[in-house]
Amino acid sequence: MARVYNWQLGREMSYWYPENRPQKQFAAVFDTNKCIACQTCTLACKTTWTSGKGQEYMLWNNVETKPYGSYPLAYDLKLLDMLNGQQWNGHKYEGQTIFESAPAGERVLGWRPEQQDYAYPNVGEDDCAGQVDHGSFLSLPHMNWFFYLARICNHCTYPACLASCPRGSIYKRQEDGIVLVDQSRCRGYQECVRGCPYKKVFYNPMTGTSEKCIACFPKIEQGIQPQCFVNCIGKIRLAGFISKPEQARPDNPIDYLVHIKKVALPLFPQFGLEPNVYYIPPIHAPVSFNRQLFGPGAADAMKTYRNAMNDPDLSGLLCLFGSTENVVPHFRRQGDTVVGSNGKDELVRVPLREPVHIRPAVDPKNQLIRINCP
Amino acid sequence: MRYITLALLLFTAACTKAPQVVNEVVAVGSAKLPSSPADPAWNDAPVHLAKMIPQDLVEPRLMTSSTPEVRVRSLTNGSEIAFRIDWDDADQSDMPGPAKMVDACAVQIPEKIEKDLAEPQMGQAGKRVQVTYWRSDWQATVNGRGDTIRDLYPNAAVDHYPFQAKPLEKESADQKEMALRYAPARALGNIRSGPRSEPVEDLVAEGPGTLAPGPSLGSKGKGEFGKQGWSVVIIRKLPDGLAANQRTHVAFAVWQGSKQEAGARKMRTGWIPLVRRDQ
Ligand code: SF4
Ligand code: SF4
């Protein structure tokens, strides 16, 4: 194993291959506070990429209802259990990653879901054990709250899928950091399925190979955001490219949210993969839960997000989510407007506050009472 | 005359009862190579009992030993060589799926007959090995299993495949072309599953992790699952330069699907001498 630097852990760690960061790294920010679990993203992906034979059960994009939802079943709890409780010291991770805790003979600490584990795409959907008049009839560790967690492949800097493949059939593209399974080389050993802690590689029994999210690379190559981003009803998603922390550019939307404002955090950073989908944590979920999911930055990120209304740059940038099909490499705020550009041309312009029109209930000209109809 | 009768009796007994056990793989000359493991022609070949060891050289390793040995017989017609490989297996695993591995076996032979042998595990750089690989789900396909998800999951319900929607005509070239868009491995000719005419494939390797499709050795195969386990016939081109009474080497590998064995997680033998004995 080689020694590599993982900024999300604040330390070096062991990895199967030496550090080899791509020229650009695809990244995304998801605002969990805005997701309504409509699953439009899931369907957008499904109809685009996984409508083939053997892909019936696959959800490259899924949306699960936390705290209990998970797809495949208990993918997160199982590994957290295997890691058996680990420690952060401030922003430095002192526990072991899945690479460092690999048992003898293995490349990573992993497990392989059974087929039944894929049978419940969102167990516990909307199961909030809330207060009812006579109290809850069921007592659960997490009461009175839930949120939706949309997930795709994290196109990790240190992918466990890639490290697990004994044939080197998985590669990370130099030009954009997108992680792909070479469909001409894969022999279907399912080592990647076992290795990926997020369970974002799926075995296709009809092709006999493993398949995964491709970050809609044909779109990314044209500067357009992936399907699950542009179809998102809640406008919770923003795709772009992330820099290393010391090279963060304040006008790069992803850098600004992740490195500068630190309002968007990686999912399970403690696994050690340096995942590149970043989440604005749900502000109404307990800090302790957010901390387990998103690491030690959770409390501060929640505070920053709560205060966004007093931070015009941050709230302006949040308005860019879902405002254009284009990937927006640069943004700036001009008064009450936020502008996204590719460095040369303006791509999008969004007001910080939408104008409000109040329509009186009575139309005096036509002598009509107006009614709202959908 | 008495001695001849005795010898004849002993010979018959040897043929019908316990097979002759030999300490190398002996490819016995035979005009016809049996394509089925049940063919009595196999009784003409002595058996080699090959001890297996877990693959424990490269990660991921097989940490728990499974198949202890394979029983190997071999026949040759001078241009092809046939192996019958038998191993004990309690479960017939021939249904692929998530976390469902399939039974398989492989025969490995050095590409060239050389004094200085390649590494027994997948060869090494500059010393290529030829691998002929048989797989139980491919056997099921050859035996008639269909190419639909319902052949794997009989209760599966599918709402819609875009390539089966109108106006595409059933079985039309346009429909097939569109179906390939949703099966990238098939589109690239990496036929790991689906329609095929032989349950085997020819591969080459120059070390662990380098296995790749190789030049065709015209391989054929057939596996049958019985009370004791698998009995698999693999027929391939005779190794180049293997004249009568000459030796090369052979190695075997077995994967038990029920034990989650696939790829590097396998039981294997070391090199075993393989001698050609024409009769
Ligand atoms: S999320 Fe999983 S599949 Fe995606 S790059 Fe990371 S390890 Fe690989
Ligand atoms: S489309 Fe957007 S809002 Fe709807 S479930 Fe997906 S991420 Fe959430």
Side-chain angles (χ1 to χ4, degrees), chain B:
Chain B
M1 185 64 196
R2 229 191 300 157
Y3 291 119
I4 296 173
T5 318
L6 188 63
L8 206 64
L9 270 174
L10 280 173
F11 179 72
T12 322
C15 290
T16 50
K17 285 192 187 149
Q20 187 195 355
V21 176
V22 284
N23 60 5
E24 57 187 349
V25 177
V26 181
V28 178
S30 166
K32 198 180 133 273
L33 296 183
S35 57
S36 161
D39 196 309
W42 287 107
N43 296 335
D44 295 345
V47 176
H48 175 75
L49 305 177
K51 292 268 169 275
M52 306 207 99
I53 51 169
Q55 187 293 109
D56 60 358
L57 293 176
V58 293
E59 283 87 2
R61 303 169 194 225
L62 186 69
M63 299 305 281
T64 318
S65 193
S66 59
T67 318
E69 67 173 14
V70 279
R71 302 177 290 279
V72 184
R73 298 168 195 248
S74 182
L75 294 168
T76 178
N77 61 7
S79 61
E80 289 173 309
I81 185 163
F83 298 94
R84 194 184 94 183
I85 307 156
D86 295 5
W87 71 94
D88 292 354
D89 193 339
D91 306 280
Q92 180 178 8
S93 314
D94 64 359
M95 281 282 189
K100 283 180 81 179
M101 305 303 170
V102 290
D103 297 327
C105 68
V107 175
Q108 175 187 285
I109 294 177
E111 193 179 56
K112 293 191 194 123
I113 300 179
E114 288 175 307
K115 259 213 190 113
D116 191 11
L117 265 177
E119 289 292 335
Q121 177 163 311
M122 313 298 290
Q124 69 200 70
K127 286 190 181 292
R128 183 182 277 191
V129 293
Q130 298 169 330
V131 176
T132 305
Y133 172 73
W134 169 93
R135 219 165 85 171
S136 61
D137 60 328
W138 295 350
Q139 185 66 58
T141 305
V142 172
N143 293 353
R145 181 186 287 163
D147 185 32
T148 75
I149 198 72
R150 284 203 159 197
D151 290 288
L152 301 181
Y153 300 92
N155 299 321
V158 176
D159 303 334
H160 169 73
Y161 292 123
F163 43 86
Q164 287 183 357
K166 289 277 167 201
L168 291 169
E169 290 302 329
K170 217 174 167 185
E171 298 297 316
S172 65
D174 283 352
Q175 185 190 57
K176 286 184 185 152
E177 193 275 328
M178 189 169 171
L180 276 187
R181 288 190 221 164
Y182 292 91
R186 286 189 189 185
L188 291 165
N190 185 15
I191 311 297
R192 314 303 315 149
S193 191
R196 61 189 307 127
S197 52
E198 285 295 338
V200 293
E201 81 178 327
D202 289 320
L203 302 150
V204 288
E206 291 193 33
T210 66
L211 194 66
S216 171
L217 304 173
S219 296
K220 293 174 282 220
K222 185 175 169 65
E224 280 173 3
F225 191 79
K227 275 201 199 94
Q228 241 189 309
W230 282 104
S231 193
V232 176
V233 171
I234 291 177
I235 302 176
R236 52 151 280 173
K237 192 164 106 21
L238 192 71
D240 283 348
L242 187 65
N245 300 320
Q246 276 211 332
R247 277 185 177 75
T248 180
H249 286 81
V250 63
F252 302 93
V254 163
W255 293 262
Q256 287 201 34
S258 58
K259 301 206 158 61
Q260 293 283 298
E261 291 170 9
R265 299 178 203 261
K266 67 183 175 200
M267 293 296 289
R268 66 176 188 95
T269 70
W271 284 126
I272 304 162
L274 164 65
V275 61
R276 175 178 164 191
R277 288 251 188 273
D278 291 359
Q279 280 174 336

Side-chain angles (χ1 to χ4, degrees), chain A residues 34-41 63 150 231-234 236-237:
Chain A
K34 295 201 292 184
C35 177
I36 56 171
C38 61
Q39 307 282 1
T40 312
C41 47
V63 183
N231 285 285
C232 174
I233 302 295
I236 82 153
R237 302 179 176 218

Side-chain angles (χ1 to χ4, degrees), chain A residues 1-52:
Chain A
M1 288 229 197
R3 296 296 290 171
V4 298
Y5 188 73
N6 181 329
W7 66 262
Q8 295 176 355
L9 305 183
R11 67 166 172 88
E12 279 196 338
M13 62 163 206
S14 300
Y15 184 63
W16 195 255
Y17 298 106
E19 187 163 343
N20 182 18
R21 286 177 189 268
Q23 284 145 18
K24 280 169 89 183
Q25 175 60 60
F26 168 83
V29 172
F30 289 6
D31 183 351
T32 56
N33 297 285
K34 295 201 292 184
C35 177
I36 56 171
C38 61
Q39 307 282 1
T40 312
C41 47
T42 309
L43 263 287
C45 177
K46 189 100 199 116
T47 50
T48 309
W49 299 116
T50 59
S51 294

Side-chain angles (χ1 to χ4, degrees), chain A residues 152-162 170 172 179 192 195-201 212-213 273 275:
Chain A
I152 60 171
C153 162
N154 293 292
H155 298 280
C156 307
T157 307
Y158 302 113
C161 57
L162 187 152
I170 301 185
K172 187 167 176 68
V179 177
C192 50
C196 169
Y198 305 97
K199 298 303 163 219
K200 280 297 172 191
V201 201
K212 66 179 287 298
C213 159
L273 287 73

